[in-house]
Structure formats: structure tokens, C-alpha cells
Amino acid sequence: MRDTRPVLKADVEMLRHASELYTPKVFMLFEEEYLKAVECTVECSCTEGRAEYKVKYAGRGVGHHVWFESSYQAVECSCMKFEFVRILCAHAMKVIDKKNIKHIPK
Ligand SMILES: [Zn+2]
């Protein structure tokens, strides 16, 4: 089952990397979040070291805060999806994409 690679909805490096790391079922959840990130907008409150971003879905009022530590590529989101589901949320993926990171951080 792990040898079967899923068909990607978008041929991008992040999804190719995720398809190598995750089982097909987990990959589908990851891909869903990735595609949601495309629709998000992001504003930065950048300072040295740890940057804070406000990310929200286009057309929706309330957003989430995402913190990014550039020295070791750590990302944290106020929605806490990763802490509960162990999959990066669309908000965190939007910030990772903005930082031009094309692989899932360790
Ligand atoms: Zn989030």
C-alpha cells in the first residue's frame, strides 16, 4: 500500500514531498489543507528572528496567527490543528509557501 503513489491534484514540490512521506489517507488530508492555503491571504508582522503572520481565508473575517522561527524552520499556528491532528494546517502552509520553503519542515 505504501508503494502506491497518489495522483496529485497539483504537480508541485510540496505535494510530491508529502506523497513520499505520508500514507495515502494522510496525504489526502494534507493535500486538502494545501489547496485551502492557495485561497488564503497573509499579512506579516515581521521582527528579527520569530515572525508573526495573520492568515485568513479569502473573504472571511477572522484569521489565525502563525509564528515562524526562521533559524530552524519551526512553524506554529493559533488554530492548533497540527497539535490535534498532526497535519500542517492551511495557515501554516501559507506561511511556509511565502517563505519559499518547498519541503515539509522536520
Ligand atoms: Zn492554522
Side-chain angles (χ1 to χ4, degrees):
M1 192 71 181
R2 292 261 311 151
D3 293 338
T4 305
R5 293 284 160 83
V7 177
L8 307 179
K9 290 184 178 174
D11 189 20
V12 294
E13 185 60 31
M14 181 68 81
L15 291 180
R16 285 192 293 270
H17 186 224
S19 73
E20 294 168 2
L21 293 178
Y22 298 136
T23 63
K25 188 172 183 178
V26 173
F27 173 78
M28 284 176 53
L29 297 171
F30 181 90
E31 186 177 50
E32 187 176 304
E33 288 298 312
Y34 182 85
L35 295 174
K36 285 183 199 171
V38 173
E39 291 293 316
C40 289
T41 60
V42 61
E43 297 172 23
C44 181
S45 309
C46 297
T47 58
E48 288 189 32
R50 193 173 193 201
E52 181 175 347
Y53 298 85
K54 186 170 186 178
V55 181
K56 58 185 175 182
Y57 294 113
R60 297 191 190 166
V62 180
H64 287 280
H65 292 273
V66 178
W67 297 271
F68 183 81
E69 177 61 53
S70 59
S71 60
Y72 49 97
Q73 295 189 348
V75 64
E76 182 181 349
C77 182
S78 62
C79 79
M80 300 186 73
K81 183 169 190 152
F82 185 79
E83 286 77 2
F84 291 110
V85 186
R86 308 306 291 174
I87 293 174
L88 283 174
C89 63
H91 319 110
M93 282 197 237
K94 184 68 177 186
V95 170
I96 288 171
D97 185 60
K98 184 174 178 60
K99 302 300 283 184
N100 207 25
I101 296 170
K102 301 301 179 193
H103 289 94
I104 301 165
K106 294 180 181 181

